């Protein structure tokens, strides 16, 4: 159990005793054998509510009303805290938990509780020399106890952090914890009012209560402090940092039992100083949408807790449903978990409402005002807090600070020097200013094993941007920033062809956060449209990697509308970027996607750049595949081969083979497709091409393995197909590339469904849907839902299909290709669209199975002759395509149909011939069904 070694000070309030525990409500503290136990605020309130009524049943409603008086929480939140409380207290001597559950009624605290009135002696009790804290500390329990422990073991501990981070609040709470250790000799020295360095020593004397005798103030101060242990809390040192440092150095040398706890926006830089950097309150991860986390999990993050509690206090209560909690999470994230900013925002909820506040935060400095009237002026508005820090900077540091405003994401020192340096401030000066800004907590530093990166918190960055606009430097700096960024992207893309995806992402992924800043400037007032268009075209891989497809689509449209036709080569890049984005987010029959690719092809054919023509053909091919137009896709693949032949490039030849194999597979030319895909699997370039991402955001080898898996299953090798699918998922998971992982999962779901492996299907479809929701990829989420539908149809014999199928077919992501595949998951998922495609030979690869499914449907109505004709047609097509899997299914249907007819033996012979050609997979669903027919079951 985590404890701190100190005895609680006397209190006039009663204490509640049970076993060797002592609960002191006045101090909101729990002790075990005179050692304080760490317990958070909610758990303390819950324990107090139960201990005050020992042996009684306290209802869940009463407990929730007591612990969360102005908030709406789910009952599960109460259960979570009860479990945590039991873990904290352990068991009684009899081995029972102190808090027992009474089913259906509530909870009860067991064991005797004694209330004692502690002796209070005003003459010996230490005077309260610390500011009164009216609000409880939220989300800082662990930090508080760590700080208190370090303040005991370190002579000088400085809490460092930006303005509004809660340094003073935390330090005062730590000093209050240490009151029993230092007794009356805990002193709070507020240096905020010190107008100049000469007043620092005066502030110390006043805090110590020493009379001003006009003599040697230093000597009298040291005589007092040399009398025994003391804790001095030097608060707000930053504006008198040199004087505070000199004072600390003197006290450490001349008063060996004095401990100093300081707060400042920069370190004192004194010998023996330990720096305690205070981080923002924890916020929900930015890459996870609020709806993907349970309400109680979202509400447990300290930044969200603080916002909800302060908003509730300002409004007299607040009810939180899922959308409101999502808004609270968004606000907490946008304020970077800074306590002051969150408290100021919470105070505006009564005026603007939660959603209105989130909208208004674009102008955070006009919204985040109206703090406590009793607070220092610089803590009453966010702007005043930042003004306080900014005014302490030198002119050079102010210039560098505002020039960093364009960076919205972590940046390296090299980038900072490239952007912020000029004739007046060379790179060496920028480096020195960076060090100063980091020291003063205006720039945060991040070290994660690689080169150090720096960033400005969102509110600090917004403030710096205002200063940049006021300076008149924005246009020139924007050109420099965007030009540097374009150069970095071009260099990164040049490496992309020869670098594995995971390694490339690790090296260059940090650029992603800078795209929006560059584009906002370029297309904003006074920007540079041509630079913006170039940046937009180059940045596609980063937007795709982050799954920000909708935002990127809007960015590309903005770039295209800004007179993109003035530069045909640039328009081609932008049209291709739009098409590639719509491949993963647009509907199956997406005319804007087709239009974008065809426009790119039209322009590319007029250009003198073969590489652009190949890219445009590849895009048109991808669109044709998505629309299920396999004949057109084959045509584009053949054109690609002819265009690429003049380049005599092995890479182009490999890519042509990949396009050709996929088109052949979907057309039902499985032998040709398998020959090509096996050639691609052993291609000599695979060693260097492994994990490289295509323009359609797919790692090529994984795509080839997927095709091989499907082809092998169709040709009668289900075990090999399933193993390849499994390996593809495992490989994709290592790459940290979402689109590739979703593609591999879709393949695994398909093969698992065909094999009848429901366990694997449930596992893969669950992960697919989770990845799709987390990364805002509705196309892939549709696929996850489709596979679940197929599984349910298999489990209930297709009875539910009639209710589900219309919804599935009207989904904007369900196109012709999807209609084809759905039929192969279960015959009840046959649709008129799939049937029409099979009858006109557009279904290609699954035509035999679609016709068989139609036959099974007709058989349900008693149309045996028509069903028989369809089964025979399906059998002939399957044989002509050398697709053993469909042949087995068609033969099984025929054998069942002919079972009690003169053709029974013929049916069994057909089925037996197909069954015997399988060398593996006899435990899969289709082979088990065939075996049952052969055995007369």
């Amino acid at each position: 159990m985590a404890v701190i070694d100190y005895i609680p000070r006397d209190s006039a309030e009663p204490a509640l005793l049970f076993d060797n525990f002592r609960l002191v409500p006045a101090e909101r503290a729990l002790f075990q054998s005179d050692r304080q136990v760490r317990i958070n605020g909610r758990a303390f309130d819950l324990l107090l509510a139960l201990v005050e009524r020992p042996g009684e049943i306290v209802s869940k409603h009463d407990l929730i009303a007591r612990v969360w008086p102005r908030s709406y929480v789910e009952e599960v939140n109460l259960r979570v805290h009860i479990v945590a409380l039991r873990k904290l207290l352990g068991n009684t001597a009899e081995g029972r938990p102190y808090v027992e559950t009474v089913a259906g009624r509530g909870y009860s605290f067991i064991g005797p509780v004694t209330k004692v009135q502690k002796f209070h002696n005003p003459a010996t009790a230490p005077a309260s020399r610390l500011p009164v804290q009216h609000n409880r500390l939220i989300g800082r329990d662990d930090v508080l106890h760590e700080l208190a422990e370090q303040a005991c073991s370190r002579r000088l501990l400085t809490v460092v952090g930006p303005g509004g981070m809660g340094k003073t609040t935390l330090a005062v709470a730590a000093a209050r914890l240490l009151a029993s250790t230092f007794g009356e000799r805990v002193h709070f020295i507020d240096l905020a009012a010190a107008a100049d360095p000469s007043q620092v020593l005066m502030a110390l004397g006043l805090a110590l209560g020493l009379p001003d005798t006009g003599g040697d103030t230093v000597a009298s101060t040291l005589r007092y402090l040399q009398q025994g242990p003391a804790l001095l809390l030097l608060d707000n040192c930053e504006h008198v940092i040199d004087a505070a440092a000199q004072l600390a150095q003197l006290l450490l040398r001349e008063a060996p039992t004095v401990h100093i706890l300081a707060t400042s926006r920069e370190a004192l830089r004194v010998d023996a100083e330990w720096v305690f950097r205070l981080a923002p309150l924890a916020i929900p991860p930015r890459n996870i949408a609020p709806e993907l986390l349970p309400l109680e999990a979202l509400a447990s993050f300290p930044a969200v807790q603080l916002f909800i509690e302060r908003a509730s206090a300002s409004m007299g209560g607040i009810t939180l449903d899922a959308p409101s909690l999502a808004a609270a999470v968004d606000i907490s994230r946008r304020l970077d978990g800074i306590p002051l900013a969150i408290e100021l925002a919470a105070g505006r909820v009564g005026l603007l409402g939660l959603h209105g506040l989130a909208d208004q935060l674009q102008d955070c400095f006009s919204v985040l005002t109206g703090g406590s009237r009793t607070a220092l002026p610089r803590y009453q508005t966010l702007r005043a807090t930042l003004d306080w820090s900014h005014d302490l900077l030198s002119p050079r540091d102010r210039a560098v600070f505002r020039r960093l405003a364009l960076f919205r994401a972590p940046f390296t020192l090299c980038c900072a020097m490239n952007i912020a340096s000029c004739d007046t401030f060379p790179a060496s000066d920028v480096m020195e200013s960076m060090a100063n800004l980091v020291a003063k907590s205006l720039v945060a530093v991040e070290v994660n094993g690689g080169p150090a990166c720096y960033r400005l918190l969102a509110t600090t960055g917004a403030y710096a941007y205002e200063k940049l606009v006021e300076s008149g430097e924005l246009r020139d700096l924007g050109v420099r920033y965007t030009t540097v960024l374009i150069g970095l992207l071009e260099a990164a893309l040049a490496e992309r062809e020869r670098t594995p995806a995971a390694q490339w992402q690790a090296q260059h992924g940090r650029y992603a956060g800078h795209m929006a800043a560059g584009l906002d400037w370029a297309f904003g007032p006074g920007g540079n449209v041509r630079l913006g268009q170039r940046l937009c075209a180059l940045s596609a891989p980063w937007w795709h990697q982050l799954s920000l497809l909708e935002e990127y689509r809007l960015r590309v449209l903005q770039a295209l509308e800004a007179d993109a036709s003035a530069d045909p080569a640039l328009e081609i890049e932008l049209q291709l970027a739009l098409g590639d984005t719509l491949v993963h987010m647009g509907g199956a029959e997406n005319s804007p996607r087709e239009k974008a690719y065809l426009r790119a092809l039209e322009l590319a054919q007029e250009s003198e750049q073969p590489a652009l023509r190949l890219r445009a053909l590849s895009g048109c091919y991808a669109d044709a595949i998505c629309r299920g137009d396999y004949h057109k896709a084959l045509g584009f693949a053949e054109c690609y081969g002819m265009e690429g032949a003049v380049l005599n490039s092995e890479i182009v030849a490999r890519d042509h083979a990949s396009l050709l194999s996929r088109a052949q597979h979907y057309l039902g030319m499985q032998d040709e497709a398998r020959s090509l895909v096996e050639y691609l699997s052993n291609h000599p370039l695979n060693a260097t091409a492994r994990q490289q991402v295509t323009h359609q955001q797919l790692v090529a080898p994984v795509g080839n393995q997927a095709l091989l898996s499907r082809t092998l299953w169709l040709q009668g090798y289900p075990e090999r197909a399933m193993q390849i699918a499994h390996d593809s998922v495992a490989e994709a998971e290592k790459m940290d590339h979402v689109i590739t992982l979703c593609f591999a999962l879709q393949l695994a779901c398909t093969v698992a469904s065909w094999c009848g492996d429901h366990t694997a299907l449930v596992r893969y479809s669950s992960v697919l849907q989770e990845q799709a929701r987390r990364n805002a990829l509705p196309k892939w989420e549709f696929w996850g839902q489709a596979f679940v539908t197929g599984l349910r149809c298999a489990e209930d014999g297709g009875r539910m299909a009639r209710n589900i199928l219309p919804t599935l077919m009207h989904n904007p992501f369900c196109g012709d290709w999807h209609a084809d595949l759905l039929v192969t998951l279960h015959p009840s998922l046959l649709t008129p669209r799939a049937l029409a495609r099979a009858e006109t030979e557009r279904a290609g690869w699954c035509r035999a199975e679609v016709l068989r499914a139609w036959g099974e449907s007709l058989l349900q109505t008693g149309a045996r002759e028509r069903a028989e004709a369809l089964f025979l047609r399906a059998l002939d097509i399957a044989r002509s395509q050398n697709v053993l899997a469909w042949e087995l299914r068609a033969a099984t249907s025929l054998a069942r149909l002919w079972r009690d007819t003169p053709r029974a033996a013929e049916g069994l012979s057909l089925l037996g011939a197909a069954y015997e050609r399988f060398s593996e997979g006899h435990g899969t669903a289709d082979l088990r069904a065939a075996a049952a027919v052969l055995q007369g079951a």
Side-chain angles (χ1 to χ4, degrees):
M1 185 175 296
V3 296
I4 291 181
D5 292 311
Y6 78 91
I7 309 299
R9 63 186 176 89
D10 287 342
S11 170
E13 294 294 326
L16 300 169
L17 308 181
F18 57 95
D19 286 349
N20 63 340
F21 287 96
R22 180 167 62 260
L23 190 65
V24 187
E27 299 182 14
R28 294 187 61 79
L30 174 67
F31 303 91
Q32 184 180 30
S33 302
D34 291 333
R35 298 166 69 85
Q36 186 173 15
V37 180
R38 294 181 184 176
I39 181 170
N40 66 41
R42 300 291 191 197
F44 181 89
D45 293 338
L46 184 59
L47 178 60
L48 182 59
L50 291 165
V51 171
E52 286 177 343
R53 298 166 61 181
E56 298 182 32
I57 299 173
V58 186
S59 71
K60 299 173 183 177
H61 174 78
D62 288 348
L63 287 173
I64 290 174
R66 172 77 175 269
V67 180
W68 294 274
R70 293 183 295 272
S71 302
Y72 169 78
V73 298
E74 300 285 347
E75 186 181 311
V76 67
N77 212 356
L78 175 62
R79 293 200 298 270
V80 168
H81 281 78
I82 289 288
V83 171
L85 194 56
R86 286 172 177 159
K87 183 178 180 181
L88 185 72
L89 298 175
N91 293 331
T92 66
E94 294 78 23
R96 298 169 61 191
Y98 284 97
V99 180
E100 288 194 337
T101 302
V102 182
R105 301 181 63 187
Y107 299 93
S108 177
F109 188 88
I110 66 170
V113 176
T114 304
K115 180 181 292 187
V116 297
Q117 191 75 23
K118 299 183 71 180
F119 179 72
H120 177 64
N121 184 348
T124 60
S128 177
R129 302 176 185 273
L130 297 170
V132 176
Q133 293 180 306
H134 298 287
N135 292 318
R136 70 185 186 94
L137 202 60
I138 295 177
R140 297 292 199 192
D141 290 347
D142 292 341
V143 175
L144 172 61
H145 287 81
E146 181 184 353
L147 184 63
E149 290 171 354
Q150 288 199 28
C152 279
S153 60
R154 313 291 183 195
R155 293 285 314 283
L156 172 59
L157 181 66
T158 306
V159 183
V160 174
M165 199 61 74
K167 300 183 293 295
T168 298
T169 302
L170 182 66
V172 169
R176 198 175 299 282
L177 284 181
L178 296 171
S180 62
T181 300
F182 294 96
E184 297 179 357
R185 296 168 65 83
V186 176
H187 301 277
F188 178 79
I189 302 96
D190 186 2
L191 299 180
D196 58 68
S198 65
Q199 297 180 2
V200 170
L201 187 60
M202 183 188 304
L204 175 59
L206 289 173
L208 297 179
L210 300 178
D212 184 2
T213 61
D216 188 347
T217 305
V218 174
S220 60
T221 300
L222 289 177
R223 279 195 299 273
Y224 172 81
L225 293 175
Q226 289 167 348
Q227 294 175 9
L231 175 66
L232 305 181
L233 202 171
L234 297 180
D235 192 43
N236 296 302
C237 298
E238 56 273 351
H239 65 299
V240 286
I241 193 73
D242 292 334
Q246 291 171 12
L247 175 62
Q249 187 73 64
L250 174 67
L251 297 179
L252 291 175
R253 184 177 67 248
E254 302 296 337
T257 58
V258 166
H259 287 239
I260 301 172
L261 178 60
T263 72
S264 177
R265 300 187 188 186
E266 63 177 303
L268 301 183
R269 289 188 284 184
V270 172
D271 291 342
E273 178 185 30
W274 282 76
V275 175
F276 189 103
R277 291 203 173 271
L278 185 57
L281 294 174
I283 57 177
R286 297 180 187 275
N287 61 338
I288 299 179
E291 60 268 19
L292 298 181
L293 291 175
L295 293 184
E296 61 271 15
L298 288 173
S300 69
F301 283 92
V304 181
Q305 283 184 26
L306 177 63
F307 178 81
I308 292 172
E309 181 158 313
R310 298 295 190 262
S312 297
S314 70
M315 296 179 64
I318 186 172
T319 300
L320 284 176
D321 53 14
S324 297
L325 188 55
V329 168
D330 178 52
I331 292 168
S332 303
R333 283 172 171 167
R334 289 163 68 177
L335 296 177
D336 283 314
I338 300 175
L340 175 63
I342 290 173
E343 293 194 3
L344 292 172
R348 290 296 188 181
V349 171
L351 175 65
L352 301 171
L354 274 172
H355 300 284
L357 174 61
D359 293 338
Q360 292 294 321
L361 275 181
Q362 297 294 338
D363 184 7
C364 59
F365 298 113
S366 65
V367 175
L368 302 186
T369 61
S372 170
R373 290 188 177 89
T374 59
L376 291 170
R378 69 174 182 275
Y379 292 130
Q380 293 182 15
T381 72
L382 184 61
R383 185 188 300 281
T385 301
L386 289 164
D387 281 341
W388 172 266
S389 295
H390 185 263
D391 291 346
L392 297 175
L393 298 177
S394 68
R396 184 192 68 190
D397 290 353
R398 291 180 189 176
V400 173
F401 172 64
R402 66 174 177 261
R403 291 173 187 179
L404 300 177
L406 283 175
F407 292 111
R408 293 189 195 168
F411 54 91
T412 63
L413 182 59
C414 180
C415 285
M417 291 190 294
N418 283 338
I419 299 302
S421 62
C422 60
D423 293 339
T424 308
F425 304 133
S428 58
D429 285 356
V430 173
M431 183 183 298
E432 186 175 343
S433 287
M434 283 290 294
N436 293 338
L437 294 171
V438 170
K440 296 177 187 300
S441 302
L442 285 170
V443 173
V445 61
E446 301 176 348
V447 181
N448 297 315
C453 284
Y454 305 86
R455 71 184 182 99
L456 275 65
L457 297 179
T459 50
T460 308
Y463 180 86
Y465 193 85
E466 281 192 358
K467 296 298 181 184
L468 179 60
V469 173
E470 292 171 5
S471 72
E473 299 174 340
L474 178 57
R475 178 172 176 79
D476 290 342
L477 199 70
V479 170
R480 187 187 313 172
Y481 176 85
T482 310
T483 303
V484 169
L485 183 56
I486 286 173
L488 291 171
L489 299 193
E490 289 175 337
L493 291 173
E495 296 178 13
R496 198 173 184 222
E497 291 296 324
R498 55 180 182 273
T499 307
Q503 180 183 337
W504 186 87
Q505 177 64 23
Q507 292 174 348
H508 304 294
R510 66 179 183 274
Y511 302 143
H514 300 285
M515 310 301 181
L519 293 173
D520 284 347
W521 170 80
F523 293 110
N528 186 306
V529 169
R530 194 64 70 232
L531 283 176
Q533 291 172 326
R534 182 63 184 150
L535 176 59
C536 188
L538 286 171
S539 62
W542 285 270
W543 294 95
H544 289 171
Q545 175 66 24
L546 293 173
S547 299
L548 298 174
L549 301 181
E550 173 59 16
E551 182 176 352
Y552 184 56
R553 182 186 72 85
L554 295 175
R555 298 280 189 180
V556 176
L557 290 175
Q558 181 184 39
L560 285 168
E561 290 167 0
D563 192 24
S565 60
D567 185 341
L570 191 53
E571 185 185 354
I572 293 173
E573 294 281 3
L574 289 169
Q575 295 287 2
L576 290 172
L578 178 60
D580 293 344
T581 301
L582 291 174
V583 163
H584 298 292
M585 67 170 297
E589 308 298 338
N590 193 290
S591 56
R593 180 186 62 218
E594 181 182 14
K595 181 179 178 182
Y597 280 136
L598 289 176
R599 172 61 177 168
L601 182 59
E602 176 188 355
L603 293 171
Q605 287 172 338
E606 298 172 0
S607 76
E608 299 299 325
Q609 300 183 49
L612 286 180
R613 291 198 294 273
L614 291 177
R615 278 275 289 109
L617 285 167
S618 177
C620 291
Y621 168 91
D623 172 68
I625 290 289
C626 289
R627 290 186 289 103
D629 193 339
Y630 310 134
H631 288 284
K632 183 171 286 188
L634 180 62
F636 284 126
E638 290 171 343
C639 288
Y640 186 100
M642 289 185 289
E643 285 280 356
V646 300
L647 297 178
N648 195 28
S649 165
E650 188 65 25
I651 293 177
V652 172
R654 179 202 63 189
D655 293 344
H656 172 232
S658 180
L659 299 181
L660 201 59
S661 63
R662 194 172 306 278
Q664 290 171 339
H665 165 77
Y666 285 124
L667 283 168
M669 303 163 64
Q670 304 306 335
D671 289 335
E672 295 88 338
R674 181 176 171 185
S675 176
L676 280 175
V677 79
E678 287 178 340
Y679 154 76
L680 289 168
S681 298
N682 300 301
H683 199 282
L685 290 178
N686 276 356
T688 56
R690 179 64 62 187
Q691 299 186 4
Q692 290 177 359
V693 183
T694 66
H695 290 285
Q696 278 79 42
Q697 294 305 298
L698 177 67
V699 174
V702 172
N704 292 332
Q705 288 298 95
L707 186 60
L708 178 59
S709 174
R710 287 168 54 97
T711 305
L712 286 172
W713 188 90
L714 289 171
Q715 293 198 321
Y717 302 96
E719 290 180 8
R720 288 174 59 187
M722 197 66 223
Q723 185 61 53
I724 291 173
H726 174 77
D727 292 345
S728 295
V729 172
E731 186 173 352
E733 286 176 332
K734 297 176 185 176
M735 296 176 186
D736 190 26
H737 192 266
V738 176
I739 298 296
T740 297
L741 177 57
C742 288
F743 186 90
L745 287 166
Q746 190 254 12
L747 161 73
C749 288
T750 302
V751 178
S753 178
W754 288 345
C755 290
D757 188 342
H758 292 179
T759 301
L761 178 56
V762 168
R763 181 172 72 253
Y764 289 132
S765 63
S766 297
V767 177
L768 177 58
Q769 291 184 81
E770 178 188 354
Q771 288 290 331
R773 285 193 295 267
R774 178 178 299 176
N775 294 283
L777 296 170
K779 165 187 172 179
W780 296 102
E781 185 175 4
F782 161 76
W783 267 123
Q785 296 166 350
F787 286 118
V788 171
T789 300
L791 174 61
R792 291 176 179 172
C793 289
E795 290 174 340
D796 76 349
R799 288 187 295 275
M800 68 175 296
R802 180 176 299 177
N803 297 325
I804 294 180
L805 198 54
T807 302
L808 208 60
M809 287 296 102
H810 284 91
N811 190 296
F813 296 98
C814 185
D816 290 345
W817 184 85
H818 307 82
D820 292 346
L821 181 60
L822 282 170
V823 187
T824 70
L825 305 183
H826 195 271
S828 64
L829 297 177
L830 174 68
T831 61
R833 186 194 305 184
L835 187 55
R837 286 173 54 77
E839 285 286 56
T840 56
E841 301 187 12
R842 286 179 291 155
W845 69 280
C846 62
R847 186 179 175 220
E849 177 60 4
V850 174
L851 294 176
R852 185 193 74 88
W854 188 19
E856 291 287 356
S857 177
L858 291 175
L859 201 56
Q860 300 295 320
T861 66
R864 294 175 59 88
E865 290 184 3
R866 293 183 62 194
E868 178 182 25
L870 287 168
F871 293 156
L872 288 169
R873 283 180 63 192
L875 186 67
D876 288 341
I877 294 170
R879 286 173 170 173
S880 68
Q881 293 182 354
N882 193 22
V883 181
L884 184 56
W886 298 154
E887 181 181 345
L888 181 74
R889 287 188 179 183
T892 301
S893 293
L894 274 172
R896 286 173 178 157
L897 179 66
W898 291 343
R899 183 182 310 176
D900 298 322
T901 71
R903 302 187 70 176
E906 182 183 354
L908 292 175
S909 176
L910 287 173
L911 180 57
Y915 184 87
E916 289 174 0
R917 288 165 57 197
F918 281 86
S919 58
E920 62 177 59
H922 293 90
T924 58
D926 289 348
L927 285 162
R928 291 200 311 271
V933 173
L934 289 170
Q935 293 167 9

